C-alpha cells in the first residue's frame, strides 16, 4: 500500500518553492481560498503564484492522502491492473498525478488538464524537479472542451473537480470521461453529503453505460444507504510545520474525509464487503457496519469466537473484508 504522506520528492520540491515565501501571506490567502470553496466557489479564486502555493500547502497533503487511499483500495481489489497511461482531469497542482505515479510504477504517459494558469504553472514547476514526471503533458482549458481533445488513457482520475461545475455539465463531463477511459475511472470528492451525492449520480449514470464498480462498492446495484446517512471514508495524514502554519492548526495530524468510486470496463467476478464506519468494540463483541454484495448489514462477532474476533479487531473504516460473519 502506498503511504498517504506526500512523497519525499514532492516535499523537497515544495520546500524549494517556499524559500523567501511569507507564511503569514500564505495563511491569509489559504483562508480566503478555503472560504471561497466552502461558499460554493471554485479554483477561480486562485490567480497568482502566491495563491497557488498557498492552496498547495493547505490542500495538497489532504487531497494526495484521499486519492492515495482510493488508489490503494483499487489496487487491493484489482492487483492485476497495470496501467501504462494516465489522464488527470482538473489536475490543479498535479496532486492526483503524483499519487498515481507512486501507486503505479507501470505508468509511462501522463496527461493533465486544467483551466487555471496559476495552478498549472505551479504543477509544472514541481514536476521539473522529478526525473519521472518532468516531461508530463499539461494542457490548459476548461474541463469538457479540453477533455474532448484529449486521447484515451488506461487510468482516468478526476479528484475534487466535479463539485466545481453545474449539474448539467457534471453529467456531460462524466460521460466524456468514461469515453476517454480505456480501463478504469477514479472519481474522488469531499466526504460530505453533497460530495457523496455527486459520486452516486455519476456512478448510476456510468453503470447504465456499461461500467462496473471496482471500489468501494461490492456490487453494481443501488446504494443501500438512506439519508441522513452517506458513504464516505477518512484518511489520517501527518502535518508538516509549514502545513500547520498555513492552516493555523495545532494538531500534528489531519483527518481528511472523502467519497470516491472506481469504475472499470472489466466485469468484477467477486468483490469483498466494505467497512462503512469504525467498528465498535465492547467486552462481549465487535459490531461493524458493512456494505455487502447483498446490501447493508450489521455484523457482530462475539468475543468467544476467538479466531473471528481477532480478525475483526483489525478491521478499520474503509477496509475491504471477506468475512461477513
Amino acid at each position: 500500500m502506498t503511504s498517504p504522506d506526500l512523497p519525499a520528492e514532492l516535499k523537497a520540491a515544495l520546500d524549494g518553492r517556499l524559500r523567501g515565501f511569507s507564511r503569514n501571506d500564505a495563511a491569509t490567502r489559504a483562508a480566503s481560498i478555503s472560504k471561497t470553496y466552502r461558499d460554493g466557489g471554485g479554483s477561480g479564486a486562485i490567480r497568482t503564484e502566491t495563491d497557488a502555493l498557498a492552496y498547495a500547502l493547505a490542500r495538497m497533503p489532504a487531497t494526495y492522502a484521499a486519492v492515495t487511499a482510493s488508489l490503494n483500495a483499487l489496487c487491493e481489489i484489482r492487483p492485476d491492473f497495470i496501467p501504462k497511461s494516465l489522464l488527470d482531469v482538473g489536475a490543479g497542482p498535479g496532486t492526483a498525478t503524483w499519487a498515481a505515479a507512486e501507486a503505479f510504477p507501470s505508468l509511462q504517459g501522463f496527461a493533465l488538464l486544467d483551466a487555471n494558469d496559476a495552478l498549472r504553472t505551479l504543477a509544472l514547476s514541481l514536476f521539473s524537479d522529478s526525473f519521472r514526471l518532468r516531461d508530463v503533458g499539461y494542457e490548459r482549458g476548461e474541463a469538457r472542451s479540453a477533455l474532448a481533445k484529449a486521447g484515451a488513457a488506461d487510468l482516468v482520475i478526476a479528484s475534487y473537480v466535479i463539485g466545481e461545475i453545474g449539474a448539467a455539465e457534471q453529467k456531460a463531463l462524466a460521460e466524456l470521461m468514461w469515453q476517454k477511459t480505456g480501463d478504469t475511472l477514479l472519481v474522488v470528492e469531499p466526504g460530505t453529503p453533497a460530495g457523496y451525492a455527486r459520486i452516486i449520480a455519476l456512478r448510476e449514470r456510468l453503470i447504465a453505460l456499461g461500467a462496473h464498480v471496482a471500489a468501494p462498492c461490492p456490487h453494481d446495484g443501488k446504494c443501500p444507504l438512506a439519508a441522513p446517512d452517506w458513504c464516505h471514508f477518512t484518511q489520517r495524514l501527518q502535518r508538516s510545520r509549514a502545513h500547520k502554519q498555513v492552516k493555523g492548526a495545532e494538531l500534528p495530524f489531519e483527518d481528511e474525509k472523502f467519497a470516491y468510486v472506481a469504475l472499470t470496463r472489466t466485469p468484477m467476478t467477486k468483490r469483498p464487503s466494505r467497512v462503512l464506519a469504525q467498528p465498535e468494540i465492547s467486552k462481549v463483541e465487535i459490531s461493524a457496519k458493512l456494505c455487502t454484495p447483498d446490501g447493508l448489514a450489521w455484523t457482530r462477532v462475539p468475543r468467544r469466537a476467538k479466531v473471528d474476533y481477532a480478525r475483526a479487531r483489525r478491521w478499520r473504516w474503509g477496509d475491504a473484508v471477506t468475512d461477513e460473519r
Side-chain angles (χ1 to χ4, degrees):
M1 294 295 175
T2 306
S3 168
D5 298 322
L6 297 181
E9 192 176 40
L10 177 54
K11 287 180 182 176
L14 279 170
D15 287 343
R17 305 306 178 275
L18 285 173
R19 296 189 184 98
F21 189 69
S22 168
R23 301 294 200 278
N24 289 334
D25 288 347
T28 299
R29 287 304 302 149
S32 176
I33 292 166
S34 294
K35 183 178 185 304
T36 298
Y37 273 92
R38 287 195 302 271
D39 292 343
S43 61
I46 303 170
R47 300 186 183 91
T48 67
E49 178 184 358
T50 299
D51 291 344
L53 191 51
Y55 173 81
L57 286 172
R59 284 298 306 161
M60 210 170 187
T63 301
Y64 180 90
V67 174
T68 295
S70 305
L71 289 171
N72 281 340
L74 171 63
C75 290
E76 185 178 11
I77 301 299
R78 294 194 60 207
D80 59 339
F81 180 43
I82 307 175
K84 296 293 194 297
S85 54
L86 170 72
L87 177 58
D88 187 350
V89 181
T95 312
T97 294
W98 283 96
E102 288 292 307
F104 295 109
S106 59
L107 283 172
Q108 299 171 4
F110 302 87
L112 294 79
L113 310 172
D114 202 290
N116 189 291
D117 276 328
L119 290 176
R120 178 180 179 275
T121 298
L122 175 61
L124 292 174
S125 175
L126 296 174
F127 289 144
S128 68
D129 294 332
S130 169
F131 177 79
R132 186 177 176 199
L133 297 176
R134 63 188 177 193
D135 293 325
V136 301
Y138 198 139
E139 296 297 325
R140 184 193 177 282
E142 296 299 331
R144 188 148 63 104
S145 60
L147 186 56
K149 302 173 186 176
D154 298 335
L155 174 63
V156 178
I157 300 180
S159 65
Y160 294 80
V161 67
I162 302 294
E164 293 191 28
I165 57 180
E169 186 73 4
Q170 288 177 25
K171 179 179 178 181
L173 183 64
E175 294 177 359
L176 186 52
M177 286 194 300
W178 185 241
Q179 290 177 24
K180 300 295 181 177
T181 299
D183 190 295
T184 298
L185 168 65
L186 173 67
V187 180
V188 185
E189 284 289 295
T192 61
Y196 159 73
R198 291 190 290 270
I199 289 288
I200 289 300
L202 177 141
R203 176 186 182 276
E204 292 179 352
R205 186 169 298 119
L206 297 188
I207 286 174
L209 294 178
H212 304 276
V213 181
C217 320
H219 56 79
D220 291 340
K222 184 178 180 180
C223 178
L225 296 179
D229 200 1
W230 75 99
C231 182
H232 65 293
F233 305 94
T234 184
Q235 176 62 60
R236 176 160 292 187
L237 60 139
Q238 298 301 310
R239 284 175 170 150
S240 66
R241 182 180 178 185
H243 191 193
K244 288 193 291 184
Q245 288 175 328
V246 168
K247 300 204 75 169
E250 296 294 332
L251 291 175
F253 63 86
E254 178 177 339
D255 291 322
E256 175 70 0
K257 293 181 178 180
F258 64 99
Y260 76 99
V261 66
L263 298 158
T264 176
R265 294 191 180 277
T266 305
M268 305 298 295
T269 57
K270 186 177 181 181
R271 284 165 285 193
S273 299
R274 185 74 54 179
V275 182
L276 294 184
Q278 191 60 29
E280 299 174 3
I281 302 176
S282 72
K283 294 181 179 179
V284 297
E285 66 178 14
I286 294 174
S287 178
K289 179 183 179 183
L290 302 181
C291 186
T292 78
D294 298 320
L296 195 62
W298 278 96
T299 294
R300 290 177 170 80
V301 183
R303 191 182 187 97
R304 65 178 178 273
K306 293 184 179 180
V307 175
D308 293 337
Y309 185 86
R311 184 185 302 114
R313 276 189 67 89
R314 296 192 293 270
W315 290 354
R316 296 293 181 268
W317 185 4
D319 282 356
V321 298
T322 54
D323 188 344
E324 299 169 11
R325 291 175 51 189

